[in-house]
Amino acid sequence: MAATNSTMYPTVGNGPSTPLFPALPSLDNTVGAVLIGTFVSLTLYGLILHQAYRYFRMYHEDTILIRAFVISVLIVETIHTVFCTHIVYYYLVTNYFKPQTLMNVVWSMSAQPVLSSIGISISQCFFAYRVYMISPKFRLLVAVAVLCEVISLGFTSTATYEGARNVTYVGFLAYAWLDSAALGCSVVSDILTTSVLISTLRKSRTGIKRTDHMIDSLILYTVNTGLLTSITNILALVLAVAMPDNIIYVGVAIIITKVYANSLLAVLNTRRSLAATDVVTSGPLGLSGIANATTPRISRVAPEVWNVRVPERTASDYTLERALDGEVEMRFKTSDQDAV
């Protein structure tokens, strides 16, 4: 055993063994974590491609802005996937059985933080602008959410620069706090945009059963689309803060950007199904307002721009809605009788 250790780690002098080289980092909490994250992200990337295919088949009439969001997400996620694949290939294939390679950080690993941040920022800007179009009175909170993403992008850009300048594993870990700060900013941005949207929906209750059911459906839909992104962000943040001496958090961070991209595409692709249930009106940006349920404080949004309009309501609107409720019930009764 002593001969084996001497062969693997050269020692100094004839006394107790003193390694010339520092202990190599474990594979489990370094490349192993990145490998697992890459496996999961590849699955999510396949889902992104499927959703993008559906989007371009179903919503070719969307505005240039919305299509630009989708195309940008596709480009960034494709590059991000290539970089993640290069990381694991470099360490586990190109440098197979060369454990000393773990002491250095490959260029694709250094670029991963800023690339992930760009993908997240695109999705967050989409969600923030959608919230602004629903309720401009929350423009300050929306601005704070966007500012958080800009700050997050600044942290990850600095982390990428320092990672490229300090190519050692120890040097990379020394600036891991920048990734933690970036994740914290993304969590704040997530909470702000989701909270504002839910608050707007809750204030849109009218007391009419059918309308309030629509509002409840929209709130549940909003929570579901924002919950997964928040959970993954918080998980990566906790891992980065609790275990700063490894890069397990990087494996989770690799997945985050794919979760955001899928959330954005899911919002766009579910517009027709939501419109079919009378929950929202049709339009290019998915859940961006409320159909037939709002308060006078919320400004109008053109239906050709955002798929859920927020019109002002009057007493006659409520009377008409109650009449429509009765008409729908009569239609159901008539169709039942015809079926019999």
Side-chain angles (χ1 to χ4, degrees):
M1 183 64 69
T4 303
N5 289 337
S6 176
T7 302
M8 294 182 62
Y9 302 101
T11 59
V12 178
N14 297 323
S17 297
T18 305
L20 286 176
F21 306 112
L24 295 174
S26 170
L27 280 174
D28 292 331
N29 55 21
T30 54
V31 182
V34 176
L35 179 64
I36 294 175
T38 301
F39 285 161
V40 178
S41 71
L42 285 172
T43 303
L44 295 176
Y45 179 67
L47 185 57
I48 290 172
L49 294 179
H50 170 69
Q51 290 208 77
Y53 172 78
R54 289 192 62 219
Y55 169 79
F56 286 113
R57 284 289 303 272
M58 296 171 60
Y59 300 100
H60 49 81
E61 74 283 356
D62 273 353
T63 63
I64 295 177
L65 176 62
I66 308 308
R67 294 168 72 88
F69 271 116
V70 175
I71 293 172
S72 299
V73 165
L74 277 176
I75 292 173
V76 172
E77 295 306 323
T78 299
I79 298 174
H80 181 264
T81 301
V82 171
F83 278 32
C84 291
T85 305
H86 177 265
I87 293 172
V88 295
Y89 191 90
Y90 174 82
Y91 286 110
L92 302 179
V93 178
T94 303
N95 291 283
Y96 173 72
F97 211 72
K98 298 179 182 177
Q100 66 274 14
T101 308
L102 294 173
M103 298 303 299
N104 299 321
V105 177
V106 67
W107 60 268
S108 50
M109 175 75 84
S110 300
Q112 194 274 332
V114 69
L115 203 55
S116 295
S117 186
I118 292 174
I120 293 172
S121 296
I122 292 173
S123 300
Q124 286 285 46
C125 287
F126 171 85
F127 294 127
Y129 189 52
R130 183 184 63 164
V131 170
Y132 170 75
M133 293 300 291
I134 298 173
S135 186
K137 72 175 183 177
F138 290 112
R139 62 174 65 90
L140 180 60
L141 292 178
V142 172
V144 172
V146 174
L147 179 61
C148 286
E149 282 305 315
V150 173
I151 295 174
S152 175
L153 187 58
F155 279 128
T156 54
S157 299
T158 305
T160 294
Y161 170 76
E162 294 296 341
R165 192 169 64 90
N166 302 282
V167 296
T168 64
Y169 177 73
V170 176
F172 182 81
L173 290 180
Y175 294 95
W177 66 269
L178 292 170
D179 293 328
S180 302
L183 290 168
C185 290
S186 294
V187 170
V188 173
S189 180
D190 244 349
I191 293 174
L192 283 175
T193 53
T194 304
S195 299
V196 169
L197 187 55
I198 291 176
S199 175
T200 302
L201 292 172
R202 287 181 61 84
K203 290 180 181 179
S204 300
R205 292 178 179 274
T206 62
I208 300 174
K209 184 177 181 181
R210 184 168 68 95
T211 300
D212 286 349
H213 176 70
M214 294 180 186
I215 302 300
D216 292 338
S217 299
L218 291 177
I219 292 175
L220 181 61
Y221 178 76
T222 303
V223 170
N224 287 339
T225 54
L227 185 62
L228 191 55
T229 57
S230 298
I231 289 176
T232 51
N233 257 326
I234 293 174
L235 177 60
L237 176 60
V238 170
L239 291 173
V241 173
M243 293 182 285
D245 57 341
N246 60 53
I247 57 172
I248 293 179
Y249 75 93
V250 174
V252 180
I254 288 173
I255 301 171
I256 292 176
T257 178
K258 298 294 188 295
V259 174
Y260 272 99
N262 274 296
S263 297
L264 186 153
L265 290 169
V267 167
L268 294 175
N269 285 336
T270 53
R271 285 173 291 174
R272 288 186 179 176
S273 59
L274 289 175
T277 59
D278 255 354
V279 174
V280 296
T281 60
S282 60
L285 283 189
L287 181 63
S288 46
I290 308 164
N292 301 322
T294 187
T295 61
R297 294 189 299 273
I298 301 183
S299 61
R300 293 174 178 266
V301 180
E304 65 272 13
V305 178
W306 301 95
N307 79 330
V308 187
R309 185 172 51 179
V310 190
E312 295 182 357
R313 298 175 60 81
T314 62
S316 60
D317 293 330
Y318 294 109
T319 303
L320 178 59
E321 187 171 85
R322 289 189 176 93
L324 290 175
D325 286 340
E327 183 181 350
V328 171
E329 291 178 2
M330 289 298 298
R331 287 179 180 176
F332 275 118
K333 290 179 180 178
T334 302
S335 60
D336 291 339
Q337 292 173 358
D338 293 340
V340 174

